[in-house]
Amino acid sequence: MKRIIGIMGAMPEEIDGVVALLTNCVASTMGKRTYYSGQINNIETVVVFSRWGKVAAATTATTLIHEFKITELLFTGVAGAISPDLKIGDIVLGNRLIQHDMDARPLMKQFEIPLLGKTYFESDASHLAIATKSISTLLENNSLHTFISNENLIKFNILQPQLVIGEIASGDQFFSSKEQKDNIRVQLPNVLCVEMEGAAVAQVCYEYEIPFSIIRTISDVADNNSHIDFPSFIKKISSKYAAEIIKTIFKAI
């Protein structure tokens, strides 16, 4: 089977830098989305802005599988920290994804996906290992300064960003209060961060037997200040992260 990698991003700014990596780029429009096909490091690749939320992300992932015949999927985006150990600029690589807003009680347990009998969707071990090694190398080489200005790193207090591997929770909510954060800590104490797409993508990939990697840059600490400088962070930090992470991973595969 021909290898074709799909890359999704939840913000247009985050895919712009990845699209710039494509050679022989061809754009096609489908379902109000533009899909960019080409090659990165001679590997067939399709890049797309998924839009926000679980439905949008699932729709996009399904289109990548059916129309573009991808054989694996990478999702890059931002997330709000739930773990107190995470700081802005840290990178979370999901080994398990859960939908924190799924609740069909009393018919089944909270967070369980109807008909699948699953609460978590696990990332493929081999793809997780490649992403772990690639991102670790990127951070250990202290190469952030080569693609992000010192001024912007200082502005967001990004000094020594770390890679953390663990659970990511997804739901159709933007976390902007301490109450939301405290509630999810009680219900899902092992969750590192929250976002709005990853677990939906993971469910689609699970059902179609497509290996996936969900990579999230911490943009805020999911509290009352979450909205402050969010657009600036996307433009000046996470968009740069996305392109460099993808470049590093593609060198390793």
Side-chain angles (χ1 to χ4, degrees):
M1 181 184 295
K2 184 179 181 181
R3 185 179 202 178
I4 305 174
I5 299 178
I7 301 175
M8 294 171 57
M11 298 291 289
E13 296 89 347
E14 290 169 335
I15 71 155
D16 287 346
V18 180
V19 171
L21 302 176
L22 291 170
T23 56
N24 305 311
C25 181
V26 177
S28 55
T29 302
M30 196 177 304
K32 301 186 185 300
R33 292 159 177 76
T34 302
Y35 295 80
Y36 300 91
S37 303
Q39 298 85 38
I40 299 178
N41 205 25
N42 296 316
I43 299 171
E44 293 295 325
T45 307
V46 185
V47 184
V48 60
F49 163 46
S50 69
R51 301 186 175 207
W52 289 11
K54 294 195 302 177
V55 173
T59 299
T60 309
T62 304
T63 302
L64 284 170
I65 294 167
H66 280 290
E67 299 295 333
F68 295 92
K69 312 300 181 186
I70 65 164
T71 56
E72 54 203 272
L73 193 152
L74 296 170
F75 193 108
T76 179
V78 296
I82 296 299
S83 167
D85 297 328
L86 288 173
K87 297 178 177 62
I88 291 174
D90 287 345
I91 298 171
V92 177
L93 187 54
N95 62 0
R96 299 206 305 173
L97 286 295
I98 186 170
Q99 296 179 34
H100 67 74
D101 56 356
M102 176 59 71
D103 191 350
R105 293 176 296 179
L107 300 178
M108 55 198 64
K109 295 183 294 182
Q110 187 179 14
F111 310 122
E112 183 177 319
I113 305 300
L115 305 181
L116 292 182
K118 287 182 69 67
T119 299
Y120 292 93
F121 297 98
E122 294 82 16
S123 298
D124 175 77
S126 60
H127 287 74
L128 189 67
I130 291 170
T132 299
K133 184 176 180 181
S134 300
I135 297 169
S136 295
T137 300
L138 182 66
L139 295 180
E140 287 167 5
N141 290 344
N142 197 28
S143 58
L144 290 180
H145 297 275
T146 64
F147 58 91
I148 300 175
S149 70
N150 284 334
E151 179 185 353
N152 286 325
L153 290 172
I154 292 169
K155 176 181 177 180
F156 291 98
N157 198 30
I158 299 173
L159 303 175
Q160 292 183 309
Q162 60 178 331
L163 169 65
V164 183
I165 301 166
E167 295 178 9
I168 297 175
S170 308
D172 288 322
Q173 300 171 20
F174 183 79
F175 274 57
S176 58
S177 73
K178 183 178 182 298
E179 182 182 9
Q180 287 174 296
K181 192 170 179 178
D182 291 343
N183 286 341
I184 201 167
R185 274 182 180 163
V186 171
Q187 294 177 324
L188 298 166
N190 294 322
V191 162
L192 295 175
C193 63
V194 288
E195 35 90 309
M196 300 175 70
E197 298 86 19
V201 170
Q203 180 177 341
V204 172
C205 288
Y206 169 80
E207 296 190 19
Y208 284 97
E209 299 182 347
I210 298 289
F212 64 89
S213 298
I214 309 295
I215 305 161
R216 291 288 184 170
T217 300
I218 298 301
S219 60
D220 58 81
V221 292
D223 62 12
N224 301 76
N225 295 315
S226 296
H227 64 288
I228 296 174
D229 274 344
F230 183 76
S232 177
F233 183 87
I234 298 297
K235 180 180 179 180
K236 296 176 179 178
I237 304 295
S238 68
S239 61
K240 312 291 186 185
Y241 267 50
E244 290 301 318
I245 288 170
I246 295 301
K247 277 169 59 176
T248 308
I249 289 175
F250 270 73
K251 288 177 182 176
I253 57 179

